[in-house]
Amino acid sequence: MKVIVYVEGRSDVDALKGLLRELIASRSAAGISIGFFESPKGDRKKTLLRDVPMKAVDILRTTPDSHVVALPDLYPPDIAFPHRTAEELFQGMKSRFREVLASKGDVDERIAGRFHVFCMKHDLEVLVLAAREQLAQRLGVSRLKPEWKEPVEEQNHDRPPKRVVKELFDAHNRKYRETREAALILGSADYAIIAERCPQCFKPFVEFLTSLHPAA
């Protein structure tokens, strides 16, 4: 079985592969391959929301043992189609998938059942904030006093997690480079703890990966 996960950028790919390395290895041992792929350059979220349903239809119609996952950021809202909540994002992408599938003359519900949509609420840095011990270590302090909402997924579009993380780095005279820092911080974190601290959107994604079983 193959699981193809589309995310917005290279930083997402590197950070998630580091955070989920043990889960990826255990799934591989069970015969399930999990791969992360970034959206093409440009407006990455718009490209992911617009193009991944089309890619998913082509993949799922030709490889019956595969699953395709879209894992965009919720922020910024209203990209490609109106959405401000995770549920609106999920519905919009699934509707687009079904439109593309119908345009191919295919109404097989088993195909639609292998297309999955999750999201980062509101961006990758929600996981960085959840990894508060590793974040503190990276900033060179013993601990951080949270000056953000908890649970961390309660951040909103006015102050998304990435903005909070950048502010923290600035306050410690550091520059936040997401392509480097997110992978370093999350690479030393425990994905199960992060999932418990992000129960709304990230935990369901982790539970989906752990629930898969290859066909007999």
Side-chain angles (χ1 to χ4, degrees), residues 50-67:
R50 182 190 63 202
D51 294 351
V52 165
M54 292 186 290
K55 289 178 179 287
V57 167
D58 291 339
I59 292 169
L60 297 174
R61 292 178 75 222
T62 56
T63 52
D65 65 338
S66 63
H67 291 257

Side-chain angles (χ1 to χ4, degrees), residues 12 16 27 35 81 103 208 213:
D12 302 77
L16 288 169
R27 298 280 75 197
F81 54 83
S103 73
F208 161 73
H213 298 283

